[in-house]
Amino acid sequence: MKYLVRDKMLAIGDDYWIEDEDGRHAFLVDGKALRFRDTLELKDPDGRILITLREKLLGFRDTMTLERDDRRLARIRRKRWSLLRGHFLVTLIEGTELDVSGRILDREFKIEYDGELLALISRQWYRIRETYAVDVVREDADAALLVAVAVCVIRMAEKEGEGAGAD
């Protein structure tokens, strides 16, 4: 299933819809303004919070956490020992690690588990300006989690100020 994300929305306080490939509202990203740290909520079309995305306040490197039902679900950080600048590691609470790599700022990257493709993020399919797709490849994958990972990784890469060709 492909989900379409419009890039214009990455400012805190902005809300925006992520649509499925048929144009139906799939997720609402609710940006929480007036907070000390970046906080976003990924909601279903009925307004139920599926995942909360939070920026870690203090730390040597930027980290974002994903929470479900007020419990930590995952931690996202730049992969420490990588020659590629566009390389992030997602550590789920039970210890499973997802690998995110590619040209993050160009919106051309993938999310993998143990070498298996879970999602492909790309602009190449769409002519609509400022739009990219999160194509969840595995039917049994947690689509909300993979969309949240894509949003977080892009946000983190943009905050680091990477050049589009550097990652």
Side-chain angles (χ1 to χ4, degrees):
M1 171 71 77
K2 288 184 182 129
Y3 298 95
L4 305 180
V5 184
R6 307 248 189 297
D7 257 345
K8 65 173 180 60
M9 72 307 168
L10 291 178
I12 288 298
D14 290 347
D15 298 344
Y16 60 93
W17 283 101
I18 295 174
E19 299 172 348
D20 67 16
E21 58 194 328
D22 296 322
R24 294 183 303 252
H25 289 167
F27 303 107
L28 174 68
V29 178
D30 184 359
K32 298 297 178 183
L34 304 174
R35 303 260 175 128
F36 289 109
R37 59 183 176 175
D38 287 353
T39 302
L40 302 168
E41 292 175 341
L42 187 68
K43 298 179 177 180
D44 70 10
D46 295 325
R48 289 184 295 265
I49 299 170
L50 301 174
I51 297 179
T52 302
L53 301 74
R54 296 186 199 278
E55 177 184 40
K56 188 175 176 183
L57 280 176
L58 300 172
F60 180 67
R61 293 180 307 165
D62 284 338
T63 301
M64 289 192 80
T65 59
L66 303 178
E67 299 172 2
R68 182 175 276 153
D69 300 325
D70 294 322
R71 293 192 319 226
R72 192 173 88 194
L73 175 64
R75 181 182 69 192
I76 303 172
R77 60 183 167 76
R78 180 167 294 286
K79 194 161 184 178
R80 188 177 308 192
W81 306 110
S82 174
L83 298 175
L84 303 173
R85 288 184 52 93
H87 205 165
F88 289 80
L89 186 66
V90 180
T91 306
L92 301 178
I93 193 65
E94 75 275 357
T96 301
E97 292 183 340
L98 306 180
D99 189 62
V100 180
S101 63
R103 297 186 328 268
I104 308 297
L105 294 178
D106 289 337
R107 310 314 190 248
E108 298 291 337
F109 60 97
K110 60 188 173 181
I111 303 171
E112 296 178 306
Y113 167 68
D114 200 24
E116 180 183 354
L117 182 65
L118 298 178
L120 184 62
I121 293 73
S122 180
R123 276 196 170 137
Q124 71 182 1
W125 300 303
Y126 299 97
R127 293 182 188 203
I128 302 168
R129 186 180 160 114
E130 305 296 326
T131 300
Y132 64 92
V134 177
D135 185 5
V136 177
V137 176
R138 283 191 47 169
E139 290 185 25
D140 63 341
D142 184 340
L145 172 64
L146 295 173
V147 167
V149 166
V151 169
C152 281
V153 166
I154 290 169
R155 184 176 205 82
M156 291 170 70
E158 286 180 341
K159 286 185 104 178
E160 290 174 4
E162 294 176 347
D167 61 351

